[in-house]
Amino acid sequence: MTTAGKKEQSAPSENAFAGWKTGPTHAEVASVLGSSLTLWNRLVTELKREVKIDAVEWHSGSAKYGWSLRLQIKKRNIVYLSPRDGGFVAAFALGDKAVAAARKSALPAAVIKNINESKRYAEGTAVRIDVRTAEDVEVVKKIAKIKIEN
């Protein structure tokens, strides 16, 4: 993908909008996500309805890392959705209580393993979920609920 003044995509696992100075348009997101756009839209819609997400905005910490859609409740960051070629990643910073609750939950064993192996930062444990299926959407929703409740 090449757009005037924007960087060409170099690796499938990289944020699709790394190097961009401005956030993407809906058409640019749709182009990158391809068939995963349906999952993206479903996840955003269901999180708004089910957990009362009240703010959705494009955010970039730096051009190096690209742009992510930040979903918040009362200015609290719940999840970041980072577009990739053909899919996207849901990223969480989970506090200690949320990590403990996730470990005790009915999340799939592979997700618990992911949480256990994730690096802990001052903001919390950095958990990333590749979203490629409807089951992945459900996992992200469960983790969002755990984060909100803890």
Side-chain angles (χ1 to χ4, degrees):
M1 165 183 210
T2 304
T3 304
K6 303 194 180 176
K7 180 181 165 190
E8 188 167 331
Q9 184 66 18
S10 60
S13 62
E14 182 181 307
N15 183 295
F17 303 109
W20 288 37
K21 295 184 187 328
T22 58
T25 65
H26 178 72
E28 290 165 334
V29 172
S31 174
V32 165
L33 292 177
S35 62
S36 293
L37 180 64
T38 302
L39 296 173
W40 173 281
N41 288 338
R42 175 181 161 198
L43 180 58
V44 172
T45 299
E46 291 179 4
L47 285 174
K48 284 180 180 179
R49 183 180 63 241
E50 295 174 19
V51 300
K52 309 301 182 221
I53 292 293
D54 60 12
V56 177
E57 65 184 4
W58 285 101
H59 177 268
S60 177
S62 77
K64 176 182 176 183
Y65 297 110
W67 288 84
S68 297
L69 191 66
R70 178 169 58 186
L71 284 70
Q72 300 175 312
I73 298 175
K74 297 179 183 175
K75 298 188 179 185
R76 179 183 179 205
N77 297 330
I78 304 302
V79 62
Y80 289 84
L81 304 181
S82 299
R84 307 292 198 254
D85 280 334
F88 61 98
V89 173
F92 295 90
L94 299 179
D96 293 340
K97 289 180 184 177
V99 168
R103 287 177 176 146
K104 294 177 184 175
S105 74
L107 287 167
V111 175
I112 301 296
K113 182 176 187 284
N114 176 349
I115 291 169
N116 289 337
E117 294 174 354
S118 293
K119 187 169 178 162
R120 190 175 187 295
Y121 296 92
E123 307 81 32
T125 300
V127 177
R128 291 174 182 83
I129 306 294
D130 286 318
V131 180
R132 302 230 180 240
T133 67
E135 291 79 18
D136 297 333
V137 168
E138 294 305 314
V139 165
V140 171
K141 288 172 30 182
K142 287 177 187 175
I143 295 172
K145 289 173 186 174
I146 289 169
K147 178 176 174 110
I148 292 163
E149 293 169 359
N150 294 281

